[in-house]
Amino acid sequence: MKKAIFLNTNQNGYDPEQCGRTMTVGELISLLVDFDSDREIFLRNDDGYTYGSIVESDFVSGKYDNDNVEIDEEW
């Protein structure tokens, strides 16, 4: 059986302002450093009904305020 990390995903709102507190990059790195670097990471949706993968192209940079989200064209 393969070891993996499963991130339970949440749908907290329709824009970032509605989501409440979320982790910072530093907090995520601090958490992941304790795991083997070759461990796979999956998104776990709907209490395990569906799953998703994460690849480098899934990451985008941007900014937000109020109901406005702007995604950077280049990262």
Side-chain angles (χ1 to χ4, degrees), residues 38-64:
D38 61 347
R39 190 174 287 206
E40 294 177 307
I41 300 173
F42 294 93
L43 301 175
R44 184 175 182 266
N45 309 300
D46 309 312
D47 293 321
Y49 185 71
T50 61
Y51 291 85
S53 61
I54 304 171
V55 296
E56 187 174 342
S57 61
D58 291 334
F59 288 83
V60 295
S61 177
K63 55 190 170 202
Y64 72 93

Side-chain angles (χ1 to χ4, degrees), residues 22-50:
T22 190
M23 295 182 87
T24 65
V25 171
E27 290 169 332
L28 183 58
I29 290 169
S30 294
L31 183 69
L32 292 175
V33 75
D34 293 329
F35 292 98
D36 295 332
S37 63
D38 61 347
R39 190 174 287 206
E40 294 177 307
I41 300 173
F42 294 93
L43 301 175
R44 184 175 182 266
N45 309 300
D46 309 312
D47 293 321
Y49 185 71
T50 61

